[in-house]
Amino acid sequence: MSALSLVPNADRVAADAAALRAPLAIRGLTVSYGQQPAVFSVDMTLRAGAMTAIVGPNGAGKSTLMKAALGIVTPLSGRITAFGAPVELQRHRIAYVPQRASVDWDFPARVIDVVLMGMYRDLGLLGRVRAHHRDFARDCLDRVGMTDFADRQIGQLSGGQQQRVFLARALAQNADLYMLDEPFAGVDAATEKAIIAVLKGLRDEGRTVLVVHHDLATVAEYFDDVLLIATRKVAEGPVTQVFTADNLQATYGGRLATQQIDRLPGAGA
């Protein structure tokens, strides 16, 4: 081995330095369900103060990657840090909105109570809710346009309204990193518009947003950065550089027609 080979690669050194400061950094993440890997050896560094989409075909490992980063799913291997520390030490800085289909909407709770659940760290074990807690919960509902539904049972709401309430619960956590799994799935156009406005507002406040996303047509409009994944990472970086026809074909295994790609905003050659 030559002396030169012992010198760390400059790009790798820079990447590792960025990871130490990143809201979320993943190295060598592998997750398997049985004998089949769902995510294989994925690296990712989330840029602070940006909105990032995780994009890929069905079964590509998008939701699994997010759940593994949060500790919901146990990986086979890999290292995950948030804000330079093990993610389990930084949970108070992270808010998570799961897929709506994974939530038991028959649970008897009012909308305002669901939002108050986002303040569990502040409320403590006894859960003593004071006036300022309720005021802040109503402010969060106001940001998502749901103030008038504060006393409604969560199970009585439409799918889009339920999604807005869960976003309000995330806002109540006052986090630095917001992670959302398919927040636009099955919602109406008005709800999608309201959600993206809130997320962009968080970005403009300096917060970081990570979204599992399925609609290729809105990637360029909604997001600053994108991670393309098909079990393995295909590409990662600014949408203007990474969201290309070649990368999309590599991600979707050539299943996208040229005409489809040509119609996608921002998907240049």
Side-chain angles (χ1 to χ4, degrees):
M1 182 181 293
S2 69
L4 287 177
S5 66
L6 297 176
V7 179
N9 179 277
D11 291 339
R12 169 57 66 181
V13 171
D16 288 344
L20 289 175
R21 303 185 299 271
L24 182 69
I26 297 171
R27 292 292 178 269
L29 182 69
T30 295
V31 182
S32 180
Y33 298 127
Q35 300 298 313
Q36 185 67 30
V39 174
F40 186 78
S41 193
V42 169
D43 293 350
M44 178 186 185
T45 301
L46 204 58
R47 184 161 62 98
M51 285 182 58
T52 300
I54 303 175
V55 172
N58 292 336
K62 303 184 297 295
S63 294
T64 297
L65 175 67
M66 180 171 284
K67 290 177 181 178
L70 289 162
I72 299 171
V73 171
T74 302
L76 286 177
S77 61
R79 179 167 55 90
I80 304 164
T81 59
F83 303 100
V87 71
E88 57 267 21
L89 300 180
Q90 300 284 31
R91 296 193 190 282
H92 61 288
R93 301 181 67 180
I94 302 172
Y96 171 56
V97 179
Q99 289 188 22
R100 193 171 61 84
S102 68
V103 177
D104 179 10
W105 297 107
D106 293 327
F107 183 79
R110 295 181 307 158
V111 165
I112 190 71
D113 297 325
V114 172
V115 179
L116 285 167
M117 291 175 189
M119 304 181 202
Y120 65 96
R121 293 185 185 276
D122 188 37
L123 292 174
L125 293 175
L126 298 178
R128 300 182 64 178
V129 179
R130 303 185 187 280
H132 71 275
H133 293 129
R134 293 191 179 279
D135 289 344
F136 184 53
R138 290 184 181 277
D139 287 344
C140 294
L141 284 171
D142 184 59
R143 290 184 70 175
V144 300
M146 290 295 292
T147 307
D148 293 341
F149 297 83
D151 294 319
R152 190 82 60 88
Q153 287 289 316
I154 188 72
Q156 296 176 346
L157 303 183
S158 69
Q161 291 169 337
Q162 290 170 342
Q163 192 73 310
R164 293 194 198 202
V165 172
F166 260 55
L167 177 55
R169 186 185 70 164
L171 294 175
Q173 294 179 242
N174 199 25
D176 296 308
L177 170 59
Y178 289 82
M179 301 173 68
L180 301 92
D181 193 353
E182 297 272 14
F184 307 119
V187 304
D188 56 275
T191 292
E192 180 165 335
K193 183 177 179 180
I195 291 174
I196 199 64
V198 171
L199 297 183
K200 287 185 175 182
L202 290 170
R203 188 265 320 270
D204 293 344
E205 293 171 7
R207 318 295 178 98
T208 304
V209 180
L210 179 65
V211 176
V212 173
H213 191 58
H214 69 279
D215 184 8
L216 296 178
T218 55
V219 170
E221 178 186 356
Y222 288 176
F223 298 98
D224 307 304
D225 295 348
V226 62
L227 169 70
L228 296 173
I229 183 174
T231 304
R232 298 173 181 263
K233 181 174 81 173
V234 176
E236 173 190 13
V239 169
T240 54
Q241 299 175 18
V242 169
F243 196 64
T244 66
D246 288 345
N247 283 338
L248 287 170
Q249 288 289 20
T251 303
Y252 287 85
R255 294 193 294 272
L256 292 179
T258 302
Q259 294 88 343
Q260 289 177 283
I261 295 177
D262 288 343
R263 289 196 296 268
L264 295 176

